[in-house]
Amino acid sequence: MPARAAITGVAETDIGRVEGSTVMSLHSQAARDAIADAGLEPEDIDGVLCGYSTVEPHMMLSSVFCEYFGLKPTFTTAISAGGATACIMLATAAALVEANKCRHVLMVMGDNRLTGLSRSGTVAALAGVGHPQFEQPYGMTIPAAYALVAQAYLHEYGIGRDELSALAVTGRKHAGLHPKAQMREPITLEDVADSRVIASPLNLLDCCLISDGGAAVVVSSSAAARDLPNVQVEVLGTGQGHTHEHIFGAPSLTSFGCADSSRIAFGEAGVKPADIDVTEIYDSFTITLLVELESIGFFEKGEAGQAALGGALEIGGRVPCNTHGGLLSFGHAGAAGGAFHIIEAVRQLRGQADARQVANAELAFVHGDGGILSAHCSTVLGRV
Amino acid sequence: MKPIPAANADTQAYWEAAAKERLLYQVCGGCSHTLSYPRGVCPRCHSGDLAWRESSGRGRIVTFSIVHRAPTPAFKADVPYVLALVDFDEGFRLMMNVLGDDALDTKIGDPVEVIFEARGEAQDKLPQARRTK
């Protein structure tokens, strides 16, 4: 087996309403800080992976970034897989350094959706993910597409309102412990139930935030990471699962590609769900997190909500989850949203999570999903 | 304005039939697979031998959502409206709105039939669903 890739630097910008930000300024701040966190200079970066922008789309975003920030990498490309982008970037960066194609790969993402597009503009832009002939003419929104899954899943497994709400309440509790989180005021089960309906059965507090923000991660080869200052975090396993793009073309409404992606990632790492100390799992909606927690094997089908009501997802619980607050409460800025999960996992494994620290965290599981539970990428990270 | 589907070579027959209030679907000549939406290749056996058939227009609600937050201003006047996935008796699935006075009572498993909603100046027609007894 080749020497495993290491995550050597992480950084996020301010999150939420970041006045004066642009897509590229958010990329650049995150990149500069992640490179500094790794103990490197920009000249050390030989690979650059970018994501996508909803606010200022470009067919060559990685070239746009490298020009703006001032990098001349020997490998660069952009990856566009919705919420799975950050985890797919991590898997790609790990493969590049393990194959000795690069020494230090910078993965960088950012979008100023809140100030650059507004909430309504973002809702409209994201609805463009729907099939232009067979979904968009019917007024599908992203929340409505996930609501179709939620309705089917709740029906199949007899899950109630409070079990969904528990996931939002837990995320908000964790966000209250993170100084950068966009939403830090505690919420109750009643607050979620009473928040306005967006697309039944999903209410406002079942839905992720719309944020400005940027995120960057430096992935280094094992040899190149050896002399760097941070506690080493290795990429132990990655896996993907892809079953469909459009929700009306999904082979199932209750079983998704996360089952395959996580099985592959756990297998590569040689661990099982019960070995994991902390989980950072894509939570674009409460239903997203519920489905993934169960399909990935942390809970039996239909049981994650009850477990969450009993505190299982809290710091100190059986499956500490989204210790930064996740997309529901920390923030969601496009491709960067999924990177926030990776960054939090790294901080947990380094022992730098302050009030959010999970005791003795040695193994972390990070998962991203793009589209309507369409594209899945799972990763297992470990402290060396 | 609400989006009007722009047909391409894969879907032209589907939308031309819809304009005449007929619902078409494709079956693969290679493996008999019923396709969920029209395309140029069978997603199961990858054959290009696809035949058009006409649906009875009858099906059931697989899942639904009552949408309160519209994607664009064009849909704002319609909220709350019902977005649903419908499995037709022939075995293909489409996204549709459930229309009619009792649409907001929609439940999983409800039988529905296809109806056609005129949209745009060119009399384009969009297949939609209506609950039946």
Side-chain angles (χ1 to χ4, degrees):
Chain A
M1 182 189 290
R4 278 160 162 159
I7 298 177
T8 50
V10 295
E12 78 280 271
T13 65
D14 287 341
I15 312 297
R17 181 172 287 278
V18 185
E19 297 294 347
S21 64
T22 65
V23 174
M24 281 301 133
S25 74
L26 292 167
H27 275 70
S28 298
Q29 287 166 30
R32 197 174 50 212
D33 291 350
I35 293 167
D37 180 56
L40 295 169
E41 298 295 330
E43 297 73 42
D44 296 320
I45 299 298
D46 54 1
V48 175
L49 300 176
C50 283
Y52 58 92
S53 166
T54 312
V55 182
E56 295 184 52
H58 193 285
M59 69 169 77
M60 296 172 65
L61 199 66
S62 66
S63 299
V64 171
F65 167 75
C66 290
E67 173 189 283
Y68 182 102
F69 185 70
L71 288 177
K72 291 179 181 168
T74 51
F75 185 100
T76 188
T77 192
I79 291 174
S80 183
T85 300
C87 281
I88 293 179
M89 275 184 181
L90 179 58
T92 305
L96 285 168
V97 299
E98 285 171 7
N100 290 319
K101 292 287 184 190
C102 298
R103 280 168 59 80
H104 300 289
V105 177
L106 170 72
M107 39 184 276
V108 56
M109 294 139 276
D111 226 359
N112 57 336
R113 288 181 171 183
L114 194 51
T115 58
L117 261 186
S118 80
R119 276 197 185 83
S120 294
T122 301
V123 168
L126 294 179
V129 168
H131 195 294
Q133 294 183 57
F134 296 100
E135 291 183 331
Q136 290 183 40
Y138 297 96
M140 188 196 90
T141 60
I142 300 294
Y146 275 88
L148 294 174
V149 174
Q151 194 82 260
Y153 204 85
L154 301 191
H155 183 260
E156 174 88 12
Y157 297 106
I159 293 165
R161 171 72 258 172
D162 282 355
E163 293 160 75
L164 272 187
S165 302
L167 304 179
V169 171
T170 307
R172 184 61 63 85
K173 189 171 178 179
H174 294 166
L177 300 172
H178 197 306
K180 281 190 174 176
Q182 186 173 347
M183 301 294 277
R184 305 182 61 209
E185 283 293 306
I187 53 173
T188 63
L189 295 175
E190 291 71 32
D191 291 334
V192 185
D194 294 344
S195 62
R196 66 189 170 88
V197 182
I198 298 297
S200 70
L202 300 178
N203 294 349
L204 181 68
L205 292 176
D206 287 300
C207 303
C208 59
L209 304 172
I210 291 173
S211 322
D212 302 335
V217 175
V218 179
V219 180
S220 306
S221 70
S222 174
R226 206 160 290 144
D227 299 326
L228 297 181
N230 284 314
V231 171
Q232 280 215 24
V233 173
E234 285 191 345
V235 182
L236 302 179
T238 66
Q240 295 187 34
H242 304 273
T243 50
H244 63 282
E245 172 55 28
H246 307 100
I247 192 59
F248 85 113
S252 165
L253 293 172
T254 53
S255 177
F256 296 95
C258 41
D260 281 337
S261 67
S262 57
R263 181 178 46 73
I264 296 166
F266 284 129
E268 202 171 282
V271 301
K272 53 189 187 302
D275 299 328
I276 299 293
D277 299 308
V278 58
T279 66
E280 310 295 350
I281 298 176
Y282 207 75
D283 56 334
S284 49
F285 300 92
T286 49
I287 185 63
T288 319
L289 180 56
L290 188 81
V291 166
E292 291 177 347
L293 281 167
E294 296 179 356
S295 299
I296 291 165
F298 290 109
F299 299 95
E300 295 298 318
K301 290 266 186 165
E303 291 182 1
Q306 277 297 332
L309 283 168
L313 303 184
E314 294 185 13
I315 296 158
R318 180 163 78 77
V319 184
C321 183
N322 294 345
T323 48
H324 60 317
L327 305 168
L328 292 167
S329 286
F330 180 79
H332 191 357
F340 299 149
H341 291 84
I342 297 172
I343 292 169
E344 177 69 5
V346 170
R347 296 227 172 95
Q348 289 284 350
L349 295 173
R350 287 181 183 173
Q352 295 175 341
D354 301 324
R356 313 180 309 280
Q357 185 64 48
V358 171
N360 304 316
E362 292 183 356
L363 273 179
F365 176 86
V366 186
H367 184 85
D369 100 80
I372 314 301
L373 290 155
S374 317
H376 293 264
C377 185
S378 303
T379 67
V380 177
L381 311 181
R383 186 176 72 198
V384 179
Chain B
M1 201 169 73
K2 290 183 192 172
I4 298 164
N8 61 21
D10 289 342
T11 60
Q12 195 170 350
Y14 177 91
W15 291 114
E16 281 178 3
K20 295 172 188 154
E21 306 210 342
R22 294 167 60 210
L23 182 63
L24 298 191
Y25 64 101
Q26 286 177 314
V27 174
C28 175
C31 72
S32 304
H33 180 61
T34 300
L35 276 65
S36 64
Y37 64 91
R39 57 196 103 172
V41 66
C42 170
R44 190 162 80 179
C45 75
H46 317 296
S47 162
D49 177 19
L50 299 163
W52 292 100
R53 303 252 179 92
E54 183 166 356
S55 169
S56 66
R58 294 190 171 276
R60 283 185 185 275
I61 299 289
V62 180
T63 186
F64 71 97
S65 172
I66 300 174
V67 180
H68 289 252
R69 173 69 153 94
T72 58
F75 286 95
K76 223 167 179 174
D78 292 352
V79 297
Y81 58 88
V82 180
L83 185 76
L85 297 183
V86 176
D87 274 357
F88 284 86
D89 289 354
E90 294 84 5
F92 64 97
R93 177 174 292 179
L94 290 173
M95 179 176 283
M96 292 180 159
N97 300 123
V98 181
L99 304 181
D101 294 342
D102 62 350
L104 294 179
D105 299 330
T106 296
K107 287 184 288 297
I108 289 175
D110 281 352
V112 294
E113 64 185 3
V114 71
I115 55 173
F116 292 85
E117 177 198 338
R119 191 172 283 189
E121 288 171 12
Q123 293 296 311
D124 290 294
K125 291 208 173 151
L126 200 61
Q128 296 280 26
R130 176 171 63 194
R131 297 167 80 217
T132 56
K133 296 296 172 197

